[in-house]
């Protein structure tokens, strides 16, 4: 008689252990694959645009140049720079005469805004909807970039139309909202108080 070889059967506990190991190994292998892929992609640029699904109608370099040329024709404007179309905000920097007043800066800012939206309509480029984000617009008009300790002759105006705003707003940077606080921060208020005290003391001594 031929001897029959008997196959060894796995016990129930061994079978359960084997299945458990397989189940545990699958997510571990997936996680290891993710780690290896991430390590290989390190130091590689991520190609894409954060404005996907936004800025459906984009401002071109030619549009920006048209805005620059139009604003350059405004009386009192010495130089114009237009930038920011790649960042989702059109920034217009307008340098005017050093002697220009605050009122003149405000008037030029208003004219520059009208010139800009004449080329790039507000509803098309600077107004967002529920499904689309459009550009913000910021027009800076200044006779100097900073006060240079001469606040009386400094003029700086920012005319802003964010995409979520219904109407533009003008901010006069060169005029403090709280003048006394501004003087105190600049150290001017303290010096005035000291001068008054010294004058008062002199007057008392003179009276004696």
């Amino acid at each position: 008689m031929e001897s029959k070889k008997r196959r060894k059967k796995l016990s129930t506990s061994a079978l359960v252990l084997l299945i458990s190991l397989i189940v545990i190994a699958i997510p571990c292998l997936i996680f290891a694959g993710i780690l290896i892929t991430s390590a290989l992609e390190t130091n590689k640029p991520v190609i894409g645009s954060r404005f996907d699904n936004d800025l459906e109608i984009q401002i071109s370099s030619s549009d920006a140049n048209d805005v620059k040329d139009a604003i350059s024709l405004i009386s009192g404007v010495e130089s114009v720079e237009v930038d920011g179309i790649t960042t989702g905000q059109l920034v217009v920097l307008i340098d005017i005469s050093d002697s220009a007043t605050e009122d003149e800066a405000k008037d030029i800012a208003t004219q520059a805004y009208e010139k800009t939206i004449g080329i790039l309509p507000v509803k098309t480029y600077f107004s967002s909807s529920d499904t689309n984000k459009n550009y913000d617009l910021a027009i800076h008009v200044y006779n100097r970039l900073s006060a240079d300790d001469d606040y009386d002759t400094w003029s700086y105006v920012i005319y802003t139309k964010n995409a979520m705003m219904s109407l533009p707003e003008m901010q006069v940077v060169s005029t403090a909202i709280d003048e006394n606080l501004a003087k105190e921060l600049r150290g001017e208020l303290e010096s005035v108080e000291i001068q008054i005290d010294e004058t008062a003391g002199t007057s008392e001594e003179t009276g004696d």
Side-chain angles (χ1 to χ4, degrees), residues 130-147:
D130 295 335
T131 58
N132 181 51
K133 170 72 170 65
N134 264 335
Y135 291 89
D136 296 329
L137 172 62
I139 300 174
H140 297 246
V141 181
Y142 49 84
N143 60 359
R144 297 191 306 275
L145 284 174
S146 62

Side-chain angles (χ1 to χ4, degrees), residues 81-100:
E81 294 294 333
V82 179
D83 197 7
I85 57 177
T86 59
T87 63
Q89 182 185 49
L90 186 69
V91 180
V92 183
L93 305 175
I94 305 173
D95 188 7
I96 58 180
S97 171
D98 290 350
S99 61

Side-chain angles (χ1 to χ4, degrees), residues 38-144:
S38 299
L40 293 175
E41 294 294 328
T42 301
N43 297 326
K44 289 185 178 180
V46 178
I47 300 174
S49 173
R50 67 187 182 93
F51 298 115
D52 289 342
N53 302 320
D54 291 334
L55 306 178
E56 292 181 356
I57 303 178
Q58 298 189 3
I59 298 174
S60 66
S61 298
S62 176
D63 294 330
N65 287 331
D66 289 343
V67 170
K68 178 179 179 179
D69 292 341
I71 294 175
S72 297
L73 298 176
I74 298 174
S75 177
V77 172
E78 294 189 346
S79 67
V80 182
E81 294 294 333
V82 179
D83 197 7
I85 57 177
T86 59
T87 63
Q89 182 185 49
L90 186 69
V91 180
V92 183
L93 305 175
I94 305 173
D95 188 7
I96 58 180
S97 171
D98 290 350
S99 61
T101 64
E102 188 176 283
D103 288 338
E104 289 173 331
K106 292 163 67 175
D107 181 59
I108 290 174
T110 302
Q111 291 186 60
Y113 177 77
E114 294 299 328
K115 294 282 188 182
T116 302
I117 64 174
I119 297 169
L120 303 170
V122 173
K123 291 185 178 180
T124 305
Y125 294 95
F126 304 112
S127 297
S128 292
S129 64
D130 295 335
T131 58
N132 181 51
K133 170 72 170 65
N134 264 335
Y135 291 89
D136 296 329
L137 172 62
I139 300 174
H140 297 246
V141 181
Y142 49 84
N143 60 359
R144 297 191 306 275

Side-chain angles (χ1 to χ4, degrees), residues 127-202:
S127 297
S128 292
S129 64
D130 295 335
T131 58
N132 181 51
K133 170 72 170 65
N134 264 335
Y135 291 89
D136 296 329
L137 172 62
I139 300 174
H140 297 246
V141 181
Y142 49 84
N143 60 359
R144 297 191 306 275
L145 284 174
S146 62
D148 298 329
D149 296 327
D150 186 4
Y151 292 90
D152 293 334
T153 62
W154 184 40
S155 298
Y156 196 133
V157 171
I158 302 177
Y159 206 51
T160 304
K161 170 62 175 74
N162 291 334
M164 299 304 295
M165 295 167 55
S166 57
L167 295 173
E169 292 182 357
M170 184 178 293
Q171 178 186 6
V172 182
V173 180
S174 51
T175 298
I177 297 175
D178 187 334
E179 188 61 32
N180 288 332
L181 177 60
K183 287 182 178 180
E184 184 178 350
L185 293 174
R186 296 196 297 262
E188 296 176 4
L189 192 61
E190 183 180 355
S191 62
V192 171
E193 290 176 349
I194 293 173
Q195 184 178 1
I196 292 173
D197 291 341
E198 291 176 349
T199 304
T202 305

